[in-house]
Amino acid sequence: MPTIAVDAMGGDLAPDEVVKGVAEVSLTTDIECLVVGDERRIQAVLEGVSYNPEHIAILHCADAIGMAEDPREAVRTRHDASLIVAVRAAADGRADAVVSAGNTGACVLACAKHFRLLRGIRRAALASVFPRRTEYAGQDRLALLIDAGATVRCEADELVQFALMGHAYARRISKVANPRVGLLNMGSEPMKGGDVLVEARRRLSELPQLNFVGNVEGNELVGGRADVIVCEGLLGNVVLKLIEGVSEIFHDLSSHAGEHKLAWRLGLRLLSQEIERLRELTDYAQYGGAPILGFDRLFLKCHGRSNARAIANAVKVAAKAVRDRVPAEIADALSSLR
Amino acid sequence: MSRVARRRGGRPEPPLVCRWDLDKTYLRSEFETIRQLLRTAFERGEDKVDVPGVVELIKAIRDAAERRHQPCRTLFVSASPPQIGKAIRAKLDLDGVPYDGIVFKNQLQHLRPGKLRNLREHVGFKLVALLRGRLEEPPEARELLFGDDWESDSLIYSLYADVIARRVEGVRLERILRAVPVDPELVREVLALAARAAGADAIERVFINLERRTPPSIFRSFGQRVVPTFNYFQTACVLGGMGRLEPADVVRVGQALVGSAGYTPRRLENSLGDLVRRGHLPLRDAHALISPLRKAGLVPGPLRASGWRRVLDAVERLRERRRRVVGPSPEETAVDYEAILERLHTATPAEASGGPA
């Protein structure tokens, strides 16, 4: 069984929700969790919930990087911070992957400092899933967006590598045999989007191992046209936050609409089942974390506000990615470029 | 390690009595549904499944006592009806478990009008059985009690221990029993037996098998005498720390878990770490166990040695901090039964079912 290092102190709801997530995993799976953080606080949370100690080890460290800290400075100076210790544990081979809900910038930089980039990879990428419509039976109801913020600006080379990494990850984790890959752009025509995107599109269409469907526009993101959507980090991050924001507005509207008019309240009651399904669909907690791809080790970055369920799902996804040898799959995919 | 032997020098050891609950403590009984209950009732001995490590633990305790020339008795107290006694005895024989007696709850007796509530009432029944059993032992006999987190074992065993030690008696005992509430007839019986059985502080530990994975903090109100354990390797380690088992005996229980229950050295190592962090096994005793366990391949080898070192260092810091915060050892504090019962009576059904009562 894989060992997953979990940064117990990272995230807005840490350590309570993180440790509860680990406890949940320990009861339902054989995954070994190496919980990294203040052992006194970790133990205090553990003893108040159901857990199975056979699958939990605690690695003490006194420090933690805050969500609002400068990532560069934190990674450079805070050697005993839980995130850094967890990443080092994976780099040393004591864990197979890392899960953290902590400071995203610090997560990416810690990986860059302690993990090795796979041969041929220039930049790492943060891949994130989001809900979308499906076009055919059996299609995964989640699409993968890569990069969601690890590399702010990219060259065409890097976008091609992201496509291959996303393709390999989707094949393994989403079990899509031949995922459809699209390039996020402002138009479907080949010449749209500027030099970098034009060049990236040209090169992606020449790769026989990719099922490349061309440019994907913003309004097609939530359709089923592409399973993997490639973009630079800045754009990807904006897209994800937009989807999240729209989802939150919808939740707010549906919660408060009924307060104003009886007719709306009745309507909402009639639609309650569908609304609940929509809520489930847009609930990030059930999707686990976003993998940082391109390194020899796996890192799953969870939402900063992750609750126990989100952490538990991220640990399960990390274990699955380890078992399915995702880094090796990515390395194989990239070797075709050389 | 054999602190018991050292403490008593050349004098003969007082007898050791181990009282075991049956369902969920010795047997992996399933009776959450009527169907499971019926199946359990009609199971044959060979169909019954024991909790991993329990057989080896019982044998190891007896063997260790024998090596110290200490008489050791193994007794079972079950709330199951005597009608399943044949299957239970067959199972114990199959497992090669030496035992000295089994007490069953005579359910038919409670089918009389007005007595139906007693079918579900275990506190009174078990207390009566324990106190009667105590009267059959010499006054100097020491006891280890083993139960689980399904019924009220932590409450019953703690109350029994405090009654024997004269910490709870007379009016207070009656008040507690009525608050449970125990059947008035059984209250009278418990009070009469308690007056005769009370004597020395004889109960060394109460082990609770966390079969339902009840959060360990729930049991903190019972004091350090109650030790909730997640597996019988943890129980063996605590007994090793107490000097009731030698390291070789602990190894034997660990081997049973690895050999037949799919445990790995890492799972055992994590179990040991948890026990130390929860304060049930002193660090020096954990140190004493690590070497023989490693030699037997039951905790990860030299590569993980540094890992174990780190665990111990962390635990030492944790315990040091706890000592500063907590003050006197929980062993020295009396159990506040009134507060425990108050909490249980005000708990939601879900909380109460997860708790010790």
Side-chain angles (χ1 to χ4, degrees):
Chain A
M1 264 296 150
T3 301
I4 311 298
V6 181
D7 169 16
M9 313 309 287
D12 296 338
L13 307 176
D16 291 34
E17 288 298 311
V18 179
V19 176
K20 284 177 189 170
V22 167
E24 190 184 318
V25 170
S26 76
L27 290 173
T28 52
T29 73
D30 280 342
I31 300 166
E32 156 123 0
C33 290
L34 180 67
V35 190
V36 185
D38 182 333
E39 88 274 13
R40 185 181 57 85
R41 294 179 67 189
I42 295 168
Q43 186 65 24
V45 179
L46 268 184
E47 286 187 38
V49 297
S50 294
Y51 71 103
N52 183 351
E54 294 159 12
H55 303 308
I56 298 174
I58 299 178
L59 183 56
H60 173 76
C61 59
D63 197 8
I65 296 173
M67 298 299 276
E69 282 189 56
D70 172 27
R72 206 165 293 275
E73 184 62 14
V75 171
R76 196 175 63 80
T77 57
R78 313 277 288 280
H79 304 294
D80 197 32
S82 56
L83 169 66
I84 309 297
V85 175
V87 170
R88 274 208 309 266
D92 296 345
R94 291 181 51 220
D96 301 298
V98 182
V99 168
S100 174
N103 183 316
T104 305
C107 291
V108 175
L109 290 174
C111 289
K113 186 172 177 182
H114 295 285
F115 294 166
R116 270 183 311 189
L117 279 171
L118 291 169
R119 195 166 164 229
I121 294 273
R122 289 173 51 165
R123 299 279 186 90
L126 185 64
S128 186
V129 291
F130 63 92
R132 50 86 182 264
R133 276 202 316 269
T134 51
E135 281 194 350
Y136 56 90
Q139 189 178 23
D140 195 329
R141 63 194 179 97
L142 300 174
L144 187 79
L145 183 84
I146 182 169
D147 171 34
T151 302
V152 178
R153 294 283 182 200
C154 301
E155 297 299 321
D157 268 357
E158 288 149 5
L159 290 173
V160 171
Q161 290 178 353
F162 292 174
L164 287 166
M165 290 197 285
H167 180 262
Y169 186 80
R171 263 167 49 109
R172 286 294 184 183
I173 300 299
S174 306
K175 299 287 180 204
V176 183
N178 193 14
R180 300 192 285 199
V181 179
L183 181 67
L184 186 59
N185 206 333
M186 55 186 282
S188 57
E189 300 85 349
M191 303 313 290
K192 281 279 176 75
D195 294 346
V196 170
L197 290 180
V198 169
E199 173 65 6
R201 189 195 184 284
R202 185 188 64 76
R203 292 184 51 191
L204 286 170
S205 61
E206 287 170 0
L207 289 175
Q209 68 270 45
L210 278 190
N211 182 8
F212 183 59
V213 294
N215 287 347
V216 172
E217 292 186 77
N219 60 345
E220 292 174 309
L221 272 176
V222 290
R225 190 163 158 236
D227 302 303
V228 176
I229 289 145
V230 179
C231 61
E232 62 180 15
L234 180 76
L235 182 56
N237 196 272
V238 170
V239 165
L240 271 189
K241 295 280 159 68
L242 182 68
I243 292 172
E244 223 179 276
V246 169
S247 157
E248 277 170 15
I249 286 174
F250 175 78
H251 287 171
D252 285 353
L253 281 176
S254 59
S255 307
H256 298 299
E259 292 171 7
H260 300 293
K261 277 189 181 177
L262 180 65
W264 289 2
R265 202 179 308 158
L266 288 172
L268 284 170
R269 181 60 63 88
L270 288 172
L271 286 170
S272 60
Q273 266 191 338
E274 292 308 310
I275 290 172
E276 195 47 45
R277 278 181 59 192
L278 198 63
R279 216 169 258 183
E280 277 173 22
L281 191 68
T282 53
D283 178 12
Y284 64 85
Q286 63 178 313
Y287 304 137
I292 299 177
L293 300 176
F295 294 108
D296 59 340
R297 302 276 167 185
L298 273 163
F299 190 108
L300 251 88
K301 169 68 184 76
C302 301
H303 198 291
R305 281 174 285 154
S306 286
N307 59 14
R309 191 161 70 103
I311 297 291
N313 284 335
V315 171
K316 288 176 197 167
V317 170
K320 180 170 159 52
V322 170
R323 274 195 302 265
D324 289 349
R325 301 177 63 249
V326 166
E329 177 90 356
I330 291 172
D332 286 350
L334 286 159
S335 65
S336 64
L337 283 181
R338 290 194 287 272
Chain B
M1 179 57 71
S2 71
R3 207 178 300 150
V4 174
R6 280 202 306 272
R7 193 173 59 227
R8 298 195 174 97
R11 279 183 296 154
E13 290 280 346
L16 177 65
V17 178
C18 298
R19 298 189 196 274
W20 292 80
D21 180 54
L22 260 176
D23 294 310
K24 310 280 187 188
T25 302
Y26 183 90
L27 293 174
R28 269 189 158 170
S29 319
E30 287 179 348
F31 37 62
E32 284 78 85
T33 62
I34 297 286
R35 180 182 292 211
Q36 287 172 341
L37 188 69
L38 285 173
R39 197 172 56 212
T40 302
F42 293 105
E43 262 177 354
R44 291 171 305 174
E46 57 266 39
D47 299 328
K48 294 197 176 290
V49 181
D50 47 277
V51 178
V54 68
V55 172
E56 279 311 313
L57 181 63
I58 292 175
K59 291 177 183 172
I61 293 170
R62 283 183 81 108
D63 291 350
E66 200 171 288
R67 287 197 300 272
R68 292 192 300 266
H69 306 292
Q70 178 182 29
C72 179
R73 281 161 55 77
T74 305
L75 300 153
F76 291 95
V77 181
S78 171
S80 298
Q83 287 74 14
I84 67 160
K86 191 178 167 195
I88 298 289
R89 287 186 188 93
K91 169 64 179 163
L92 291 169
D93 289 344
L94 272 175
D95 292 341
V97 168
Y99 64 98
D100 304 279
I102 312 178
V103 179
F104 292 102
K105 184 176 179 181
N106 192 349
Q107 310 273 20
L108 290 178
Q109 185 189 311
H110 300 294
L111 288 176
R112 285 178 295 158
K115 294 281 178 184
L116 278 175
R117 202 180 61 78
N118 284 2
L119 277 174
R120 290 189 296 118
E121 207 278 288
H122 295 314
V123 179
F125 156 73
K126 267 201 168 176
L127 266 177
V128 166
L130 290 166
L131 289 166
R132 276 189 193 146
R134 180 69 196 174
L135 288 170
E136 290 170 12
E137 306 299 336
E140 71 276 17
R142 310 289 297 165
E143 293 198 25
L144 295 170
L145 309 177
F146 301 85
D148 57 71
D149 57 347
W150 273 83
E151 290 162 358
S152 321
D153 288 346
S154 50
L155 175 69
I156 298 166
Y157 285 160
S158 293
L159 203 48
Y160 169 63
D162 283 336
V163 165
I164 295 294
R166 292 186 195 279
R167 277 188 291 265
V168 175
E169 50 189 343
V171 178
R172 187 177 173 220
L173 175 59
E174 186 175 354
R175 207 171 48 229
I176 292 169
L177 294 173
R178 292 199 189 283
V180 169
V182 172
D183 178 75
E185 208 171 286
L186 288 173
V187 171
R188 281 191 290 278
E189 199 172 350
V190 169
L191 290 172
L193 287 166
R196 290 168 58 205
D201 194 354
I203 314 304
E204 295 186 356
R205 283 289 189 284
V206 172
F207 292 98
I208 298 295
N209 176 36
L210 295 176
E211 209 269 346
R212 307 173 83 174
R213 302 290 186 231
T214 302
S217 62
I218 301 257
F219 298 91
R220 211 172 280 147
S221 50
F222 290 101
Q224 199 73 345
R225 182 179 50 209
V226 171
V227 182
T229 56
F230 287 91
N231 55 48
Y232 282 118
F233 174 71
Q234 287 195 330
T235 311
C237 289
V238 176
L239 287 167
M242 293 164 62
R244 285 283 170 213
L245 293 181
E246 294 295 326
D249 302 313
V250 179
V251 165
R252 180 174 160 186
V253 176
Q255 278 167 336
L257 290 176
V258 171
S260 56
Y263 275 66
T264 61
R266 189 165 290 187
R267 282 174 71 176
L268 294 186
E269 185 187 46
N270 289 343
S271 298
L272 191 54
D274 171 75
L275 206 50
V276 179
R277 280 196 301 273
R278 287 197 283 125
H280 293 298
L281 183 68
L283 205 54
R284 62 173 184 281
D285 294 333
H287 274 303
L289 287 174
I290 273 295
S291 173
L293 287 170
R294 182 166 293 134
K295 213 173 276 175
L298 292 176
V299 294
L303 269 176
R304 289 279 293 178
S306 57
W308 173 245
R309 184 67 256 169
R310 266 192 296 269
V311 169
L312 290 186
D313 289 346
V315 163
E316 181 59 12
R317 282 193 300 275
L318 172 64
R319 300 213 54 212
E320 194 51 48
R321 253 180 282 175
R322 264 202 183 164
R323 269 196 292 274
R324 283 201 297 266
V325 174
V326 172
S329 146
E331 222 161 7
E332 296 158 19
T333 22
V335 178
D336 187 348
Y337 292 100
E338 289 81 0
I340 290 169
L341 289 170
E342 176 72 26
R343 179 169 57 81
L344 287 170
H345 288 156
T346 52
T348 62
E351 285 167 340
S353 68

